[in-house]
C-alpha cells in the first residue's frame, strides 16, 4: 500500500481483504479476561473489516474526517489532521477517499471545521489559552494550512463563556454553524457563519448554556446537554424533550437525524439508544447494546436498518476499539456481537463516517491513529457489519 504524503490528496485504496494483524494481536493480548465484567467479543471477518490502508506515518495531535464536495460533481471524504510541529503549516489534508459520503451525513460538531478548501477553528483547537474578550476568536487558515487571520464571534449580551464554540459544517461548505454557550447565564447563541468565519445570523437560545452536543439540520437545530434535548426551529421557537441521565460526557454521546421522521440519541457509556420524534421530541422507544467499562469515545453512523457504532474502551495505557451493529428497533434473538477492531492511544481520536448505501455499497470508513511496526500511523479501513 502506497503511503500518502504531500498536498496532492491521493486516493486511498480500500479493496484489500483479510483480517488485520493488529486486531488479531489485540484479541490474543486481551483474551485473559483483564476487563473483568466486559462483555464477550470476537474478531471481525474479512467482510466485516477489510485490510487497513496506511494514510500517513506519524501521529497527528488532531484528526478529523469531513465530507468534501469541492470537486465539481464529486463526493468524497477528506482526512484532515494537524501538521507536524516542526513545519510552518498548522493543518494538513492527508488524503481523500474513493468512497462517497451519505448525502444526509453531518460530521460531529467540534472546535474546527473544513469548509471545502480551508479550515476554521477556535483558538482552543490549537491548544491556545481560551480568550474570552471581546468574544471567542475563530482562527482562519489558508489553502496551505497556514494562519490567515481571525474573526470574533459576537456577544449580543453579557455571556460567561467557559468552553470553545461548537462548529459544524453545513451541506453548502461555504457555510458553518456555531453554538456559543454562556454557562453562568444559562443561554446559548446559534450562529450562521460565512466562509471567513463572520456571523451572518445570530439566534439566542435561553436555557441552553449546558449544551454538549450540537446537530444542525435543514429544518432546525438540535441541542443535547445532560437530560435536556432542545429543538430550535428557524424562527427561534423551542421544543423541549428529556432523556435519562447520561453515563458520560459529550464524547460518549451522539445525536443523529435519520430520515425525516426519526431523531436518535445514543449514550455509549451505558449502551442506550433512544428514538424520538424529531419535531415533538416525544419518545418512540429505547434499545440497549453491550459495552464494557471505561467507554471514552463513541462514534456512530446509520447503515440500513441499524446503527454502526465504534466505541473506545480503556485498556491499560490506551484503548481498544469495538464495533457494534446496533438495531434501531428491538428484534428477537441474541445481541449483535462486539467486534474487536484494534487498539489505539488514549484519548482516542478515531472517526467513523458512513458510505452511501445506494451509490457506493454502504458500510463505513474508520480512521484512527495506532502503533505500527515502525512507529505511529494513521490508518483507514472499510467496515461492513
Amino acid at each position: 500500500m502506497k503511503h500518502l504524503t504531500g498536498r496532492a490528496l491521493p486516493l486511498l485504496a480500500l479493496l484489500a481483504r483479510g483480517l488485520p494483524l493488529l486486531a488479531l494481536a489485540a484479541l490474543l493480548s486481551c483474551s485473559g479476561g483483564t476487563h473483568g465484567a466486559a462483555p464477550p467479543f470476537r474478531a471481525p471477518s474479512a467482510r466485516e473489516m477489510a485490510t487497513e490502508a496506511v494514510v500517513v506515518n506519524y501521529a497527528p495531535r488532531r484528526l478529523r474526517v469531513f465530507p468534501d464536495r469541492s470537486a465539481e460533481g464529486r463526493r468524497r471524504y477528506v482526512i484532515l489532521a494537524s501538521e507536524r510541529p516542526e513545519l510552518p503549516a498548522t493543518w494538513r489534508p492527508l488524503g481523500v477517499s474513493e468512497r462517497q459520503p451519505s448525502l444526509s451525513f453531518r460530521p460531529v460538531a467540534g472546535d474546527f471545521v473544513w469548509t471545502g478548501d480551508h479550515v476554521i477553528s477556535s483558538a482552543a483547537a490549537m491548544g491556545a489559552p481560551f480568550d474570552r474578550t471581546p468574544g471567542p476568536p475563530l482562527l482562519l487558515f489558508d489553502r496551505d494550512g497556514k494562519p490567515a487571520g481571525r474573526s470574533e464571534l459576537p456577544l449580543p449580551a453579557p455571556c460567561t463563556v467557559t468552553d470553545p464554540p461548537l462548529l459544524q459544517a453545513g451541506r453548502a461548505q461555504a457555510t458553518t454553524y456555531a453554538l456559543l454557550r454562556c454557562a453562568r447565564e444559562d443561554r446559548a447563541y446559534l450562529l450562521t457563519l460565512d466562509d471567513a468565519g463572520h456571523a451572518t445570523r445570530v439566534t439566542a437560545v435561553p436555557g441552553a448554556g449546558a449544551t454538549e452536543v450540537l446537530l444542525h439540520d435543514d429544518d432546525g437545530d438540535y441541542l443535547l446537554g445532560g437530560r435536556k434535548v432542545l429543538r430550535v426551529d428557524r424562527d427561534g421557537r423551542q421544543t423541549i424533550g428529556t432523556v435519562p441521565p447520561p453515563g458520560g460526557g459529550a464524547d460518549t454521546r451522539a445525536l443523529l437525524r435519520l430520515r425525516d421522521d426519526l431523531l436518535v440519541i445514543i449514550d455509549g457509556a451505558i449502551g442506550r439508544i433512544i428514538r424520538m420524534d424529531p419535531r415533538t421530541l416525544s419518545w418512540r422507544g429505547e434499545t440497549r447494546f453491550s459495552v464494557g467499562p471505561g467507554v471514552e469515545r463513541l462514534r456512530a453512523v446509520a447503515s440500513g436498518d441499524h446503527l454502526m457504532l465504534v466505541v473506545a474502551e480503556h485498556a491499560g495505557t490506551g484503548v481498544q476499539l469495538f464495533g457494534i451493529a446496533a438495531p434501531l428497533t428491538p428484534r428477537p434473538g441474541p445481541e449483535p456481537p462486539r467486534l474487536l477492531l484494534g487498539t489505539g492511544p488514549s484519548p482516542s481520536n478515531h472517526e467513523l463516517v458512513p458510505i452511501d448505501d445506494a451509490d457506493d455499497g454502504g458500510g463505513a470508513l474508520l480512521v484512527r491513529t495506532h502503533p505500527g511496526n515502525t512507529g505511529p500511523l494513521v490508518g483507514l479501513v472499510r467496515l461492513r457489519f
Side-chain angles (χ1 to χ4, degrees), residues 192-283:
T192 302
L193 311 176
D194 62 19
D195 61 358
H198 299 121
T200 60
R201 176 177 175 153
V202 181
T203 302
V205 188
T211 298
E212 298 173 301
V213 182
L214 166 69
L215 173 64
H216 174 80
D217 201 64
D218 293 337
D219 63 353
D221 293 275
Y222 296 90
L223 284 61
L224 175 64
R227 298 192 60 184
K228 183 186 289 187
V229 189
L230 290 177
R231 179 183 186 271
V232 184
D233 65 19
R234 293 279 74 96
D235 61 6
R237 292 179 299 182
Q238 289 189 27
T239 304
I240 302 176
T242 59
V243 294
D251 223 21
T252 64
R253 306 177 83 187
L255 185 59
L256 305 178
R257 176 76 182 269
L258 307 181
R259 310 186 302 270
D260 290 334
D261 61 347
L262 189 61
L263 182 73
V264 174
I265 296 175
I266 309 166
D267 189 335
I270 57 180
R272 175 188 285 126
I273 300 169
I274 295 173
R275 304 184 303 280
M276 306 183 82
D277 182 287
R279 292 174 178 81
T280 66
L281 299 184
S282 57
W283 279 40

Side-chain angles (χ1 to χ4, degrees), residues 13 45 69 93 95 108 127 144 169 177 189 193 219 250 292 306 309 353 357:
S45 68
R69 301 179 182 93
V108 174
D144 296 321
Y177 301 96
Y189 293 100
L193 311 176
D219 63 353
H306 67 282
L309 314 177
V353 293
D357 287 324

